[in-house]
Amino acid sequence: MKKLLHLQSLVWIVIGCGGLFLFSGCQGAISKQEQEIKDKRTIVLGFAQVGAESSWRLSNTKSIKEEAAAEGMQLMYINAEQKQENQIKAIRSFIAYQVDAILLSPVIETGWENVLHEAKAANIPIILTDREIKTDEPDLYRSFVGSDFKKEGKMAGKFLQKKFQDKTRQVNIVELYGTIGSSPAEGRSIGFREVIKENAHFKVICSRSGDFMHSKGKEIMRDILNEYKAIDVLYSHNDSMTLGAIEAMEEVGMVPGKDIVIITIDGEQKVIDALKDGKVNCVIECNPKLGKEIIDLTKKVLNGENIPRTVYVEDEVFTEWDDLSLISPRGY
Ligand code: AHR
């Protein structure tokens, strides 16, 4: 890949300068022929993905890989295994390879300035996908494409208000939190609290991070069930943790969806099946199929077109009150 890229760059420099001037005298407007060569050159993208922690993530990766391939782009994909330092290393290698653009799904929100400055200095646009960053320097990236996590949290809170509208006693809520410092966990937590604070009887009695993983969701739920005897609601930041938590409940003879009301986010097929079985009460969709939007946007950036700063994709809500036969297969 490296050789290919270097060869491509070299060919581009030599042909792009008419082959006569070699590395000098190559300024000014490019000719029609040069433009044609440039148009035909394969676009190379670097993609620093969070990891492979959930079915959601696998589907997200597949969607981006497929769309890049359909557009004839080369995608250098890196699975960062949930570690920011791996993503920073990946970005540095993409810069060294002189990719055309970098897609970044940041594991956590902070600590990106140095490496994004390096990409900017190399004139490589950064497009954020799925997760956002917090920075005082917004021009370090061009655009964000993904879900509105705060809105997802609000939708979860609204379901709860409706579900417990007749309750006057305290409703005890347990929160399975995603990765600490990540934008989905933060948005989902803030949005949820903004809504439930309207009703004094809702109380989050415990909030623990399961890092968006099935195994950790199960482990933490086991601990929580040991420590807390009166739990009314489980609000889980993703389906992987929810499926683990359901296993923990069933191990101790509890009936998920009845003994404890369950609200979860993502919308994987397994959780939709659990909703149909009555083990889950509400599913907030988080759409992983971002490939088309992200690749279209990247093409626009590379063509110098104006692009929106933020593109939120639509997410649906599926509840126990809906006609669940209408839900089409999820594909993840
Ligand atoms: O960033 C999106 C979240 O990350 C999804 O909800 C979750 O499944 C994934 O790990």
Side-chain angles (χ1 to χ4, degrees):
M1 179 67 76
K2 190 171 183 176
K3 267 191 192 149
L4 176 69
L5 277 166
H6 281 171
L7 189 65
Q8 272 180 340
S9 315
L10 187 64
V11 168
W12 170 237
I13 291 164
V14 173
I15 298 176
C17 297
L20 292 174
F21 307 103
L22 284 176
F23 304 110
S24 62
C26 186
Q27 287 150 6
I30 58 174
S31 71
K32 194 170 163 239
Q33 190 197 10
E34 286 165 348
Q35 184 61 49
E36 275 170 13
I37 293 164
K38 194 176 173 199
D39 289 346
K40 280 187 196 140
R41 189 181 144 262
T42 303
I43 291 172
V44 182
L45 304 180
F47 176 25
Q49 176 62 294
V50 170
E53 74 283 4
S54 59
S55 293
W56 187 99
R57 183 68 53 198
L58 299 179
S59 168
N60 177 251
T61 301
K62 185 167 174 264
S63 163
I64 295 174
K65 280 184 176 174
E66 283 178 358
E67 193 60 29
E71 289 295 327
M73 297 177 176
Q74 277 181 31
L75 191 76
M76 297 174 73
Y77 162 79
I78 287 184
N79 167 352
E81 294 173 348
Q82 323 266 97
K83 294 193 178 79
Q84 182 181 40
E85 64 263 33
N86 289 348
Q87 292 194 306
I88 290 176
K89 267 189 223 150
I91 294 171
R92 293 203 165 115
S93 71
F94 297 151
I95 296 171
Y97 277 113
Q98 302 168 4
V99 298
D100 294 283
I102 294 174
L103 313 181
L104 168 64
S105 182
V107 178
I108 56 169
E109 291 179 298
T110 54
W112 296 101
E113 281 78 4
N114 286 347
V115 75
L116 296 192
H117 269 293
E118 291 167 31
K120 197 173 174 204
N123 214 13
I124 299 175
I126 299 276
I127 294 147
L128 299 183
T129 169
D130 166 38
R131 297 187 181 182
E132 298 189 66
I133 63 169
K134 266 187 194 153
T135 177
D136 293 335
E137 299 174 86
D139 63 338
L140 288 178
Y141 67 92
R142 301 295 292 277
S143 187
F144 164 79
V145 185
S147 288
D148 182 340
F149 298 128
K150 201 166 157 192
K151 192 171 161 195
E152 291 174 346
K154 284 185 177 177
M155 294 194 281
K158 285 189 180 135
F159 169 82
L160 214 56
Q161 284 180 327
K162 195 168 164 196
K163 176 80 181 170
F164 288 91
Q165 58 189 332
D166 301 328
K167 285 271 184 300
T168 44
R169 66 160 179 85
Q170 181 168 304
V171 174
N172 292 332
I173 304 165
V174 159
E175 178 180 49
L176 276 182
Y177 198 94
T179 301
I180 292 169
S182 70
S183 65
E186 186 152 327
R188 287 167 187 174
S189 174
I190 292 172
F192 182 70
R193 281 167 175 74
E194 266 182 31
V195 171
I196 62 162
K197 74 173 185 212
E198 294 166 10
N199 308 70
H201 56 287
F202 286 130
K203 185 153 191 236
V204 179
I205 55 168
C206 169
S207 175
R208 286 188 198 160
S209 168
D211 220 2
F212 289 121
M213 291 166 80
H214 182 119
S215 55
K216 290 195 187 171
K218 185 169 180 175
E219 205 178 293
I220 287 163
M221 197 64 198
R222 269 188 192 139
D223 294 345
I224 293 174
L225 292 173
N226 270 329
E227 287 171 48
Y228 296 86
K229 294 301 158 210
I231 303 171
D232 299 298
V233 176
L234 168 65
Y235 169 46
S236 166
H237 286 191
N238 89 335
D239 288 352
S240 294
M241 294 190 295
T242 306
L243 292 166
I246 287 176
E247 286 174 15
M249 287 181 214
E250 288 179 333
E251 273 177 5
V252 294
M254 289 185 109
V255 185
K258 295 207 169 45
D259 293 337
I260 297 181
V261 168
I262 299 181
I263 309 169
T264 180
I265 300 182
D266 272 356
E268 288 178 17
Q269 187 61 53
K270 276 190 187 162
V271 153
I272 295 295
D273 293 343
L275 177 66
K276 289 179 180 168
D277 291 344
K279 293 183 179 186
V280 162
N281 308 78
C282 175
V283 181
I284 315 293
E285 179 187 40
C286 178
N287 190 347
K289 295 172 189 166
L290 304 176
K292 176 124 187 63
E293 279 82 2
I294 193 94
I295 296 298
D296 282 356
L297 206 89
T298 305
K299 282 195 318 201
K300 286 186 183 155
V301 169
L302 295 174
N303 285 336
E305 293 174 40
N306 280 336
I307 50 153
R309 179 79 186 147
T310 302
V311 180
Y312 284 133
V313 293
E314 277 303 309
D315 292 323
E316 279 188 68
V317 183
F318 308 107
T319 75
E320 58 188 358
W321 306 305
D322 301 335
D323 179 355
L324 302 175
S325 67
L326 300 176
I327 304 177
S328 36
R330 306 293 296 153
Y332 64 101

